[in-house]
Amino acid sequence: MMVQKVDGAMKINFSGKRILVTGAGKGIGKEIVTLLAECGASVVAISRTQADLDNLRSELGCECIAADLSNADEARNAAEQAGDIDLLVNNAGISVPQSFLQTTPEAFDKTMAVNVRAALIVSQIVAQSMIERGGGAIVNVSSQASQVALADHAAYCASKGALDQLTRVMAVELGAHGIRVNAVNPTVTLTPMGEMAWGDPAKSAPMLAKIPLGKFAKPREVAHAVAYLLSDYASMVSGITLPVDGGFLAT
């Protein structure tokens, strides 16, 4: 990965790099794929929805793999099918809002399977390839919910806390192989789904009041943080959880 100077600014250039992005079909994942492609990367996209993959292939020329990452075997097969990967973004995630007392074992297990176990499995396979080729970088897309409790999100908060700790362990163990591992932790992000969930001012106002910048994140702002952590700009950055939250965690 090189850095080019364009019109007086520094621009990340991922030309010649193959980057695997999970949960690539919608929202933050699609924005990450779009930005990485704009930076010259060859993107391999994993999504469970074939129609979303077809759109990515048509719009950006991505290599596409359909897989349900809640299934351990499908997660493993998808990572193996991706082949040699230089950089990895574990973005796939789900949320099944339920109160603590009403959280079902089924919802808890599926949330952990997608949000944590899939990142573990995909990273294990990709990291082996990175080790053979001398290094790489991995970014896990976590959430501010890893550090702040949200009502009706017991399983989700637990999964993102686990993902943050998995990130740290990966950084400790993979650093000796030249592999950096970090996480980004966005606040509410205005994907189409996020806009639907938080479009009601009565619901959004209390959350916005806790964000010093007074706004929710845009998908492109999260994608910029991911690209930075993947790039050589972050060559000495590993094992961190980077808030993309407008100062929420500082309050």
Side-chain angles (χ1 to χ4, degrees):
M1 193 280 298
M2 299 177 62
V3 176
Q4 290 182 327
K5 194 170 184 179
V6 180
D7 297 329
M10 301 302 289
K11 179 178 174 60
I12 295 171
N13 180 3
F14 288 121
S15 296
K17 298 295 184 182
R18 297 184 76 245
I19 307 180
L20 177 61
V21 181
T22 70
K26 296 183 176 71
I28 293 172
K30 184 174 182 181
E31 195 65 35
I32 291 170
V33 169
T34 301
L35 177 61
L36 297 179
E38 290 172 359
C39 292
S42 297
V43 180
V44 182
I46 295 179
S47 173
R48 64 181 176 180
T49 305
Q50 187 62 52
D52 290 339
L53 291 173
D54 292 341
N55 289 335
L56 285 175
R57 185 183 291 108
S58 174
E59 295 171 12
L60 301 171
C62 298
E63 297 179 46
C64 296
I65 301 170
D68 179 356
L69 297 182
S70 69
N71 181 295
D73 290 335
E74 288 197 37
R76 185 175 298 106
N77 291 339
E80 291 173 347
Q81 186 178 338
D84 288 340
I85 294 297
D86 299 296
L87 305 165
L88 167 63
V89 182
N90 287 306
N91 171 73
I94 63 169
S95 176
V96 184
Q98 295 175 332
S99 70
F100 168 71
L101 291 176
Q102 299 300 319
T103 296
T104 64
E106 294 78 13
F108 188 88
D109 288 349
K110 186 168 184 178
T111 301
M112 296 297 288
V114 175
N115 294 5
V116 187
R117 190 181 68 191
L120 169 74
I121 292 171
V122 172
S123 296
Q124 285 175 327
I125 293 167
V126 171
Q128 288 290 346
S129 176
M130 288 180 176
I131 289 170
E132 293 171 1
R133 288 175 296 111
I138 299 172
V139 175
N140 297 324
V141 178
S142 183
S143 169
Q144 70 180 25
S146 69
Q147 301 180 54
V148 178
L150 301 177
D152 301 322
H153 286 75
Y156 184 77
C157 288
S159 73
K160 292 303 186 178
L163 184 61
D164 279 5
Q165 197 65 351
L166 178 64
T167 298
R168 297 182 183 102
V169 173
M170 290 167 63
V172 168
E173 295 193 10
L174 296 177
H177 301 286
I179 300 172
R180 298 182 298 103
V181 187
N182 295 288
V184 294
N185 298 61
T187 186
V188 173
T189 303
L190 294 178
T191 62
M193 185 177 297
E195 291 176 348
M196 288 180 60
W198 293 90
D200 180 359
K203 180 178 180 181
S204 62
M207 178 65 79
L208 280 172
K210 298 178 182 179
I211 300 176
L213 289 184
K215 61 181 182 178
F216 293 142
K218 297 177 181 178
R220 178 59 58 126
E221 292 171 319
V222 181
H224 282 155
V226 171
Y228 160 70
L229 289 173
L230 290 174
S231 78
D232 287 347
Y233 282 127
S235 60
M236 196 57 182
V237 180
S238 193
I240 71 161
T241 56
L242 177 63
V244 185
D245 66 355
F248 178 89
L249 292 177
T251 61

